[in-house]
Every structure is written in C-alpha cells, then in structure tokens.
Amino acid sequence: MAFISSLDISASALSAQRLRSDIIQQNIANQNTYNTSPDGDPYCRQLVVFSEKKRFSDVLDQYTRMSENNTGIKHYRGTYYLNRLNRFKNAGVTVAEVIDDDAPFVPVYDPDNPLADEDGYIYRSNVNNAKEQMDLMAAQRSYEANISAYKAVKAMLTKAMTLNGR
C-alpha cells in the first residue's frame, strides 16, 4: 500500500536527519579543541552524506534485464515494472557515510605551548560555529517537514479507514 510506503519514507528521513543533528552537535561541542600531541591532529569536522535507499544502478539493471528478457509489463509511457505493488519497497533515505571535512585546521600562534610545531603554531579544530548553526537549522527544518509529511499521511490513512468502515 502506498500509504505505508510514504510512512516508511518519512520515517527514514526522520532518522537520517536525527543522526545529522547529532553529528552537528558533536562538531559544535568539539569546536575549541586543539591537537593533543605534537604530531597529532585536533578534532576534524564531520559531515553526513545521504543516499537514496534504492540505488539507481540496481533499478537500471533490473529494467535492462526485463527489457532483454521481455518479462516485464510495459507501461504506456515505456517504463517497465516487475511488481507494481513492490516498487516503493526500498524508497527513502539512508546515511551513506560520515566523512571528515577536508578544510584545513586553524593555526594559532603559541610558541610557549609544548605542543607547538617548529614554527610555534598549535592547531585548532576546523569547525566553524556559524556553518554548524546554519546546518543545524537546516536539519531541524527538514526534520519538521518530514514530521508534517508523516502526520499528513497518517491523517489520510485514518480518514480512508473511517470511510471504508461506512
């Protein structure tokens, strides 16, 4: 049923945005860290990479196999479907990976610090508080939008169930 698939899509987006918010909050918490050893690095900003649950290459391979074997049902627009009821099974979003930001660390001149390099610099984390606040706001807005979508589908499903009972 398409309603259940819509609920799954919104739920997957909610969990992905929750993880994104957690990573952003971790970045903010570690924004003032310095390198802890002379040849060590400070905390590196982390970024979340989202991906669609259904990989495009899998869908393309599936349609290619069907057109070669003529086993699929041809839609009037030329799109092939193996199983129309199951086409949203893997739809939604997932976190593909959490990567380190490649921005350089911020050098701070402190020649008296025992962790300073030969030029007298220690290095602070590459986390920019303004960027993190903007990313957190975007994640919160996306989370709220997905909650609204979830509630709308839930209300439609409830209404459909009450109309079916009459």
Side-chain angles (χ1 to χ4, degrees):
M1 177 177 235
F3 283 117
I4 304 300
S5 299
S6 298
L7 291 174
D8 290 342
I9 291 169
S10 293
S12 70
L14 287 171
S15 66
Q17 291 299 334
R18 171 67 191 266
L19 178 66
R20 180 181 175 201
S21 295
D22 289 345
I23 295 295
I24 292 170
Q25 291 170 11
Q26 178 180 329
N27 289 342
I28 292 172
N30 291 302
Q31 70 183 346
N32 293 323
T33 60
Y34 290 88
N35 53 331
T36 56
S37 64
D39 51 340
D41 288 333
Y43 177 80
C44 186
R45 178 181 185 227
Q46 295 182 333
L47 303 169
V48 178
V49 178
F50 293 139
S51 170
E52 184 183 9
K53 277 188 180 177
K54 185 186 291 186
R55 294 189 336 218
F56 179 73
S57 61
D58 293 343
V59 174
L60 188 62
D61 289 344
Q62 175 185 2
Y63 292 154
T64 304
R65 281 192 305 272
M66 287 183 342
S67 65
E68 290 172 356
N69 299 335
N70 284 333
T71 58
I73 301 168
K74 186 159 179 141
H75 189 264
Y76 70 94
R77 290 190 179 149
T79 307
Y80 291 90
Y81 296 108
L82 259 181
N83 185 354
R84 291 191 63 122
L85 297 175
N86 209 15
R87 68 180 178 180
F88 297 113
K89 177 182 172 193
N90 298 322
V93 67
T94 186
V95 175
E97 61 183 323
V98 178
I99 60 172
D100 290 338
D101 190 5
D102 59 353
F105 296 117
V106 179
V108 176
Y109 186 69
D110 189 5
D112 297 332
N113 193 317
L115 298 176
D117 61 6
E118 59 276 351
D119 296 328
Y121 288 98
I122 57 173
Y123 293 92
R124 197 179 74 204
S125 175
N126 60 354
V127 176
N128 182 344
N129 193 29
K131 281 184 187 178
E132 297 303 318
Q133 293 295 329
M134 293 300 291
D135 286 348
L136 185 59
M137 213 178 336
Q140 288 171 341
R141 297 292 183 259
S142 181
Y143 191 86
E144 291 167 2
N146 283 297
I147 286 176
S148 297
Y150 190 89
K151 286 180 180 178
V153 171
K154 185 177 168 187
M156 286 189 283
L157 184 58
T158 305
K159 187 67 174 176
M161 288 171 52
T162 58
L163 292 175
N164 192 24
R166 289 183 184 181

